[in-house]
Amino acid sequence: MTYSKPRPGRIALVSEHASPLAELGGPDAGGQNVYVAQLAARLAGRGHDVTVYTRRDSPDLPTLVRTPLGVKVVHVPAGPPTAVPKDELLVWMPDFGGYLSRMWRLARPDVVHAHFWMSGLAALTGTRGTGIPVVQTYHALGTVKRRYQGPEDTSPPERVGIEARIGQEADHTIATCADEVVELVAMGVPEERISVVPCGVDTTRFSPVPDPGRPPGGPRRLLSVGRLVPRKGFDRAIKALAEVPNAELLIAGGPDAPLLFADPEAERLRKTASEYGVAERVTMLGCVPQEKMPALMSSADLLLSLPRYEPFGIVPIEAMACGTPVVATAVGGQLDTVVDGVTGALVPPADDGGHDLAATIRSLLDDPARRARYGEAGRAHALARYTWDEVTDGVSRVYAQLTPVPLPTEVAR
C-alpha cells in the first residue's frame, strides 16, 4: 500500500493595515508588521501555502506579490489606494470582508488568522457560512487603550463592542500575555478558547555585540527605545536621571534626528530635561535603523522600559536578547517577559512614595556583577521562550486544534 504525502495547509493571514512588506517606522508600521511577516515566513518555510491579505494603500501596488520566502501578499482594494490612519479604516471593512469572501469561495483556506480587531471583523465577514475556522490576535485591546488614554483615544467609538463580538464569534483567540487573558475574559471571550502565545524576536539579529563602539571611560549609559508618545514614559526616565550621577540617557525613537525639532513630544521631553537640570545628559537619537539597534542595545548598561501601559512590549525582549538587563514597569506583557530579580527589575507604573525608581537604577549601575548575571539570564530567557520558531510552534498548535488538515506543529531542530 502506498501513502500520499499530506498536502500543505492553506493558511490565510489577514492584516488590514499592517503589511508584511511595509517599511518600519511609519505611524502605523511597527510590531504587528514584523509579527505577520515573521509568522508568515516561518509557516511558509514549513511547507504551508501562506497568503497574507492587507489593504492596498498605494495605486502602484500589484494585486499579488510573492516574497522570496514563498509568502503570497494580496493587496485588497478596500477604500482609497492611499495611506489612511488605521483608526479611520472601519468604514472600509465591509468591502475588505466582501473581497475575502469572493476569494475564499474560489480557493478555500484551511484556517484564517486575523491580526488586529478590524482584521477580525473582515475575516468573520469573509468566512460567514463557510465553516472556515477563524483565529483572532488583537495585538492591542480597545478596552485597555480607552482606560489609559481616555479622551485622547482616537479609536472609533464602536471598537470595544466590536472587539467583544469578534472574540465571542472567533473559533479561538491568541493572547500575547497573561494580562491580556484577564481583559479578554472580562469582555466575554470564553477562557477555554484562549491560548497565550507571545510575540517573538529575531535572536540571531538581536544578540550581544562584543564591541558595540561605546567610547571607554564615558558615563554610564541608560537607554530607552520606542515611539515618541507620552504613554511610553520617557519623561519618567528623564526625571530619574536627575538623581543618578555619572550617567547619560539615550532615547531612540520618533522621526529622523533632523526632524526632532518639529516633533511635539520631543519638544516636551527637551523641556522636561531642562527643568530637571539634565539637558546635557539626555540625547535624543531619533529613528534608529533596525540593523543598528543590537549594537546600541549592547552598548547600554541598562534598558529602561517605563510605559504607563503596554499591550506586550517587544523592546525589553530585544534588549534581553542582546544581554542587556532591563528595568521595566510592571504592566501588560512586561509582567511576563521581564523576570524580576532574574533578568531585570520590575517597578510600579507610576512614581509614588513606596518606590524610588532612581534608587533601583543606581543600585544596578553600582553592581556590575548583578548586571552581568541579569544579562546572561535575559539572553537565555529570550532564546528559550521568544524565538520566532517558538512562537510559530505555539500558533501552529492552535491551528492544529481547529482543522482536520495535518499541520506540523513544530519545526525540526
Side-chain angles (χ1 to χ4, degrees):
M1 180 180 295
T2 60
Y3 295 90
S4 61
K5 183 180 179 180
R7 68 168 174 83
R10 288 193 288 263
I11 300 169
L13 306 181
V14 183
S15 182
E16 98 296 347
H17 75 274
S19 169
L21 305 178
E23 183 176 348
L24 301 184
D28 290 329
Q32 184 177 323
N33 304 71
V34 173
Y35 185 106
V36 172
Q38 292 282 354
L39 178 62
R42 278 160 174 74
L43 289 169
R46 299 183 184 193
H48 297 302
D49 182 349
V50 182
T51 304
V52 180
Y53 296 87
T54 192
R55 198 185 74 86
R56 183 195 297 275
D57 60 5
S58 169
D60 301 326
L61 291 173
T63 299
L64 174 65
V65 175
R66 295 179 185 270
T67 74
L69 298 174
V71 177
K72 291 176 285 187
V73 179
V74 174
H75 294 111
V76 176
T82 58
V84 176
K86 67 177 183 288
D87 286 336
E88 299 175 15
L89 290 175
L90 180 59
V91 67
W92 304 112
M93 287 305 102
D95 290 351
F96 200 119
Y99 182 92
L100 297 178
S101 178
R102 294 190 295 275
M103 292 300 100
W104 293 342
R105 282 200 299 267
L106 298 173
R108 177 189 175 98
D110 298 306
V111 64
V112 172
H113 188 173
H115 297 269
F116 201 59
W117 66 281
M118 280 186 274
S119 295
L121 188 62
L124 290 172
T125 299
T127 59
R128 187 161 292 128
T130 65
I132 300 170
V134 174
V135 177
Q136 174 68 32
T137 298
Y138 288 96
H139 293 279
L141 287 170
T143 52
V144 177
K145 189 175 182 183
R146 182 171 296 178
R147 182 182 310 138
Y148 287 96
Q149 292 192 0
E152 296 179 2
D153 180 8
T154 58
S155 301
E158 306 96 324
R159 175 175 178 173
V160 172
I162 293 174
E163 281 185 336
R165 179 165 63 84
I166 291 168
Q168 292 156 16
E169 294 184 11
D171 295 271
H172 207 88
T173 296
I174 293 178
T176 57
C177 64
D179 191 61
E180 186 180 352
V181 175
V182 176
E183 295 286 343
L184 290 167
V185 171
M187 289 163 50
V189 181
E191 190 169 6
E192 64 274 14
R193 299 210 310 264
I194 304 172
S195 297
V196 177
V197 180
C199 299
V201 164
D202 184 344
T203 52
T204 301
R205 170 182 288 180
F206 285 91
S207 61
V209 177
D211 183 11
R214 179 176 166 184
R220 300 175 293 182
R221 177 169 291 181
L222 308 175
L223 173 67
S224 289
V225 178
R227 289 187 298 123
L228 286 188
V229 291
R231 76 172 179 88
K232 290 295 185 179
F234 297 128
D235 54 347
R236 191 177 177 201
I238 291 171
K239 294 171 185 177
L241 183 67
E243 300 177 41
V244 181
N246 189 30
E248 64 177 350
L249 172 65
L250 307 185
I251 299 175
D256 292 338
L259 302 177
L260 283 171
F261 74 94
D263 185 272
E265 180 63 7
E267 178 60 22
R268 186 180 76 89
L269 295 176
R270 279 192 292 267
K271 289 180 178 178
T272 301
S274 295
E275 178 185 348
Y276 280 79
V278 294
E280 74 286 354
R281 293 197 283 141
V282 176
T283 302
M284 304 190 69
L285 302 174
C287 181
V288 175
Q290 281 289 296
E291 62 269 18
K292 295 184 178 181
M293 195 59 76
L296 179 61
M297 288 184 165
S298 297
S299 77
D301 294 299
L302 287 177
L303 185 285
L304 305 184
S305 182
L306 304 174
R308 292 160 177 77
Y309 76 95
E310 188 63 73
F312 181 74
I314 205 69
V315 168
I317 308 175
E318 292 174 341
M320 288 189 291
C322 293
T324 301
V326 176
V327 175
T329 43
V331 296
Q334 295 186 158
L335 288 163
D336 289 7
T337 57
V338 180
V339 184
D340 190 38
V342 177
T343 69
L346 289 173
V347 299
D351 292 315
D352 56 40
H355 183 267
D356 186 341
L357 173 61
T360 297
I361 295 171
R362 289 195 305 269
S363 69
L364 280 166
L365 289 178
D366 293 341
D367 193 341
R370 182 155 60 115
R371 290 205 316 276
R373 289 197 307 272
Y374 285 3
E376 291 175 6
R379 174 70 179 168
H381 188 51
L383 289 171
R385 293 199 58 190
Y386 298 106
T387 67
W388 280 111
D389 280 331
E390 289 290 333
V391 172
T392 306
D393 289 347
V395 171
S396 296
R397 286 191 287 270
V398 172
Y399 294 171
Q401 297 173 27
L402 302 175
T403 175
V405 176
L407 299 179
T409 57
E410 294 188 5
V411 68
R413 296 189 174 88

